[in-house]
Amino acid sequence: MSAATRRIFRFVNWTLRPDEDDDAPPLTVRFRCLTLTGDDAECGAQSETHADPGAARKWTFQHVREHPDHTSYAEVIERPWVMWRGGPA
């Protein structure tokens, strides 16, 4: 005869929010070139990742100086988020 197993489940509410704690990873920014090349592929060049958006933007000006027809860019932001466990559901 096997012993009965008793399980208790606890349901909780979860909340997702930007992680702004002191030990959170920093928000980072980079830019990438969206200009289509002769074969209809994206240029694909991209800046380094920076915590300072202004530093990432500087790359776009350097890139357009080297490639005057490359005028379309995307900003790529990485923002840390954290899940917080709340009270019972």
Side-chain angles (χ1 to χ4, degrees):
M1 186 183 263
S2 65
T5 302
R6 182 174 173 205
R7 294 184 178 159
I8 298 175
F9 293 93
R10 180 174 173 233
F11 296 94
V12 296
N13 287 316
W14 287 91
T15 302
L16 178 65
R17 68 165 179 81
D19 190 350
E20 297 170 342
D21 293 342
D22 291 340
D23 62 345
L27 181 144
T28 58
V29 178
R30 67 181 164 84
F31 280 84
R32 65 184 178 92
C33 181
L34 299 176
T35 303
L36 298 179
T37 60
D39 61 354
D40 284 339
E42 275 187 15
C43 166
Q46 61 184 3
S47 72
E48 295 289 323
T49 300
H50 296 276
D52 173 21
R57 278 192 297 270
K58 286 181 183 179
W59 173 85
T60 63
F61 291 95
Q62 176 186 343
H63 189 70
V64 80
R65 276 193 298 276
E66 295 169 6
H67 308 276
D69 57 335
H70 289 208
T71 57
S72 183
Y73 297 89
E75 180 182 34
V76 181
I77 300 171
E78 186 169 312
R79 180 184 320 271
W81 289 72
V82 64
M83 293 292 288
W84 283 90
R85 184 173 40 199

